[in-house]
Amino acid sequence: MPIIEVKNLCKSYSRREVLKNLNLSIDRGDHLYIVGENGTGKSTLIKLLLGLLSPDSGEILLSSVKKNQIGYLPQQTEIQSDFPASVREVVLSGTLGGKSVPFYTAKDRLLARDMMKKLHIEDIERRSFRELSGGQQQRVLLARALCATGGILLLDEPITGLDPVATAEFYHIMEQLHHEGVTIITVSHDVSCAVHYGNKILHLGHGEYFFGSSAEYAHSPLGQRMLAGGHCHD
C-alpha cells in the first residue's frame, strides 16, 4: 500500500487551473522528484501535501503517517538565515510538531542528538545558526526536519544558494537517507540530478504531465527534451 496516494487532484486560483486530475503514488522508501517550469503547480502541490491548502476536488490519502509528521525543509529566506538561535535549539525545535505545549522530553533531546550526529553537525551545536555557512545551515535545517518526520521528508529547492561543494555534500546526504529507507519528496529545477538521484519523477508542465520511474522519464520525449539542457554535478 502506498504511503501517499494522490487521486484526481484538482486546484484552481481565480478560475486559473493549476492542477488538473493529478494522480500519483509514493511508496515507503521512494525518492520522488517534482520538476517542471515555474507556475506549473509545484508549490501548490507542496501546500496540499502539507495540509496548508485544500483541493477543489480529488483527495490525498496518507497511510501510517499524519500531515504534521512530514518533515518539511522550505526554501531558505533571509529571515531563516539570520535566525538568532543555536544549532542545538534549531534542531530540537523540530520535535515540537503536533505538541500542544513547547516542552522537550529526554526522548526529544536524544533524537536531536542522533540527528546532529547523522548529519555531522554535533561539533557546532553551540554555534549561532546565523553565523554558519549556507551548507551548514542547510544541514541544520535538514536535521530539524528529520526530528519532525514520521518517515517522510519534503524538500523545496534544497540546494538553492549553495556552492558546488555544499551542493555535492547535500546530494550525498540525500542518497544516504534514501538508502536508509527514508521517503523523500524533492522539488527541484535540476532535472538531470532528479533522474540521477530519484527513483520516481513527477513532471508538471503547461499542458504536459508525467509520473513514473526515473528510467521511464529519461526515455520519454519530455524527459529527453529536458535532459538535453544540462548535466548533474555530483
Side-chain angles (χ1 to χ4, degrees):
M1 182 179 180
I3 193 170
I4 298 177
E5 193 166 9
V6 174
K7 293 184 175 182
N8 300 316
L9 196 67
C10 296
K11 185 67 181 178
S12 299
Y13 296 113
S14 303
R15 298 182 182 177
R16 185 175 75 87
E17 206 165 46
V18 180
L19 296 172
K20 180 180 180 182
N21 295 328
L22 180 64
N23 291 277
L24 63 96
S25 62
I26 303 170
D27 297 321
R28 189 176 296 280
D30 275 347
H31 190 170
L32 169 71
Y33 268 85
I34 303 173
V35 300
E37 301 85 349
N38 290 331
T40 54
K42 299 191 299 295
S43 296
T44 297
L45 180 57
I46 288 174
K47 292 174 183 175
L48 288 164
L49 290 171
L50 292 171
L52 301 175
L53 287 177
S54 298
D56 297 334
S57 60
E59 56 185 346
I60 298 174
L61 304 174
L62 300 180
S63 172
S64 72
V65 67
K66 298 176 182 178
K67 286 180 179 177
N68 65 2
Q69 292 179 310
I70 297 176
Y72 178 45
L73 182 63
Q75 289 189 48
Q76 275 220 60
T77 64
E78 286 297 322
I79 294 173
Q80 284 176 321
S81 299
D82 202 36
F83 193 60
S86 71
V87 166
R88 183 172 178 271
E89 288 170 329
V90 173
V91 175
L92 196 52
S93 69
T95 65
L96 292 175
K99 288 188 178 183
S100 56
V101 291
F103 177 75
Y104 298 122
T105 65
K107 184 179 179 181
D108 294 336
R109 297 178 195 281
L110 183 60
L111 176 62
R113 171 73 60 186
D114 288 345
M115 292 306 111
M116 285 190 288
K117 284 183 179 178
K118 180 187 284 286
L119 295 178
H120 308 294
I121 54 173
E122 71 271 23
D123 59 328
I124 60 170
E125 66 170 312
R126 296 185 184 279
R127 288 184 60 186
S128 173
F129 179 77
R130 61 184 173 189
E131 294 174 356
L132 304 179
S133 68
Q136 288 173 322
Q137 287 186 345
Q138 207 66 330
R139 283 185 183 231
V140 173
L141 293 174
L142 182 58
R144 181 186 186 277
L146 284 167
C147 282
T149 180
I152 301 176
L153 277 178
L154 180 48
L155 314 174
D156 188 1
E157 298 288 355
I159 62 167
T160 299
L162 298 186
D163 62 42
V165 173
T167 296
E169 288 176 349
F170 195 85
Y171 276 125
H172 180 64
I173 291 168
M174 289 298 99
E175 202 168 25
Q176 285 183 316
L177 292 173
H178 184 209
H179 288 158
E180 290 171 11
V182 177
T183 305
I184 307 171
I185 303 168
T186 301
V187 176
S188 177
H189 281 96
D190 194 333
V191 175
S192 57
C193 280
V195 170
H196 183 76
Y197 289 105
N199 69 307
K200 287 183 179 177
I201 302 289
L202 170 64
H203 183 116
L204 298 174
H206 298 290
E208 298 176 297
Y209 159 71
F210 175 94
F211 173 71
S213 72
S214 298
E216 290 170 336
Y217 179 70
H219 289 95
S220 70
L222 176 58
Q224 289 183 342
R225 193 168 77 244
M226 298 300 294
L227 287 166
H231 302 282
C232 182
H233 302 287
D234 55 0

